[in-house]
Amino acid sequence: MKTCLITGITGQDGAYLAQLLLGKGYRVVGLLRRSASSDIVGERMRWLGILDDVELMDGNLIDISSIIRVIQQAKPDEVYNLAAQSFVAASWNQPLLTGEVTGMGAVNLLEAVRITGLTARVYQASSSEMFGLIQQPVQNEKTPFYPRSPYAAAKLYAHWMTVNYRESFGMHASSGILFNHESPLRGIEFVTRKVTDGVARIKLGLAKELPLGNLEAKRDWGHARDYVRAMWLMLQQEKPDDYVVATGRTTSIREFCRIAFAYVGLNYEDHVVTKQQFLRPAEVDVLHGDAAKARTVLGWQPETSLEEMIAEMVEADLARHRAKMGR
Ligand code: NDP
Ligand code: GDP
């Protein structure tokens, strides 16, 4: 039986990846950072019905001693580094913490694997945000990077360190440059989930307005369930490498709103208001990925359309609010 270690297991991708790997017969160990609200930690895995099937070990990405201890105890064959301060907007308010966790944290993990001498394969969660001020209309593995936030700069450091550990020490370390991916388990602060939650509240009469920022930005949105499959596939290859994972379709926030509100028979223009407070110091105007390499080498392709994903997210948010209302 193979063992995997997932950092960030309590997050969106961690939950879906744990589900995927449990289904493949892995022993799944997750790094859990201590929280005063331990009753709600693990909510996403509970939602997927897998919380009792994973082993959680105490640690924090910025404390290398804890990472070494967890690796020594778990002896993973595969390590997936998904932990991060992952919210771009927060990275301007907490740039140093973001650098420590999202950037240096990844190096702590690479070092911990190196120090313990394990031959574990490593996956690093890189991001399309690294393309930032895009240098090519459609981005692939060869497109130059231009990070536009403390988050993106931290991810770029982690990305290059992953490449360096692969080239310097022969580590089987791969970096997945994943474009935005969403699901009913997406953090509520991200625009897609904020919209589907807003749609549900408005439909149920719990709210009238949905305040948003820049509606003209465009993202290449896929489903997290599809994207964690690509992570696993990368670590099954003989050779480590970097891969862009994207759908190849880019859509504006405005269009996302239109589809989500229309799904419940509403017109987004009657409810969406723009608020200054949700604008960012620097914007990534458009991201549009080319995942040809992942398709050819990994045999990966997305299985969920944007419309299907939005429907799934709105339904889940409607169900959550109905449950809270006792309906
Ligand atoms: P989430 O924000 O949902 O999850 C982040 C995870 O990191 C949580 O489990 C969180 O734990 C954990 N974490 C944060 N700080 C620490 C720390 N100091 N030590 C240990 N764990 C920590 O992110 P996603 O699941 O959406 O994304 C997974 C990864 O992929 C992230 O690295 C993200 O930056 C990257 N990524 C995501 C994309 C997306 O569209 N979703 C696109 C490209 C890259 P806790 O529950 O305790 O807060
Ligand atoms: P990101 O691509 O990782 O920053 O993912 P987000 O979901 O946080 O943001 C995607 C895009 O939506 C960015 O261009 C934001 O500026 C834009 N956006 C517009 N309104 C909002 C909002 O209210 N919240 C968030 N999070 N993003 C918004």
Side-chain angles (χ1 to χ4, degrees), residues 67-81:
I67 308 295
I68 291 175
R69 240 187 311 277
V70 165
I71 289 180
Q72 279 172 338
Q73 277 173 26
K75 298 190 178 48
D77 301 286
E78 297 172 8
V79 179
Y80 296 86
N81 183 36

Side-chain angles (χ1 to χ4, degrees), residues 22 32 41 43 45 85 120 132 148 152 162 189 219 228 232 236 264 295 304 317 320:
L22 285 168
L32 184 72
V41 164
E43 202 45 55
M45 287 184 280
Q85 189 304 93
R148 289 269 278 175
T162 305
E189 66 275 34
R219 291 292 183 273
V228 298
W232 175 75
Q236 310 317 305
V264 296
R295 271 203 309 277
T304 320
D317 281 320
R320 283 187 182 108

Side-chain angles (χ1 to χ4, degrees), residues 86-89 129 151 180 182 186 189-192 194 211-215 217-219 221 253 278-280 283-285 287:
S86 68
F87 189 38
V88 170
E129 288 291 321
Y151 167 78
N180 296 50
E182 322 294 315
R186 182 61 142 153
E189 66 275 34
F190 293 89
V191 74
T192 54
K194 188 173 164 184
L212 293 174
N214 177 13
L215 299 184
K218 290 177 149 188
R219 291 292 183 273
W221 283 297
I253 315 298
F278 296 113
L279 298 178
R280 297 174 174 187
E283 181 60 287
V284 172
D285 294 319
L287 291 172

Side-chain angles (χ1 to χ4, degrees), residues 98-114:
T98 304
E100 258 184 79
V101 180
T102 306
M104 293 282 278
V107 185
N108 279 339
L109 188 93
L110 290 164
E111 268 302 293
V113 172
R114 188 159 82 102

Side-chain angles (χ1 to χ4, degrees), residues 88-157:
V88 170
S91 77
W92 278 285
N93 297 331
Q94 300 179 43
L96 302 179
L97 176 99
T98 304
E100 258 184 79
V101 180
T102 306
M104 293 282 278
V107 185
N108 279 339
L109 188 93
L110 290 164
E111 268 302 293
V113 172
R114 188 159 82 102
I115 289 167
T116 51
L118 244 77
T119 50
R121 296 182 172 192
V122 178
Y123 172 84
Q124 169 58 23
S126 288
S127 165
S128 57
E129 288 291 321
M130 301 187 311
F131 295 121
L133 186 64
I134 53 166
Q135 303 293 296
Q136 288 170 354
V138 181
Q139 302 88 51
N140 63 24
E141 295 80 6
K142 301 241 177 325
T143 305
F145 298 114
Y146 195 132
R148 289 269 278 175
S149 63
Y151 167 78
K155 278 287 181 193
L156 192 51
Y157 171 64

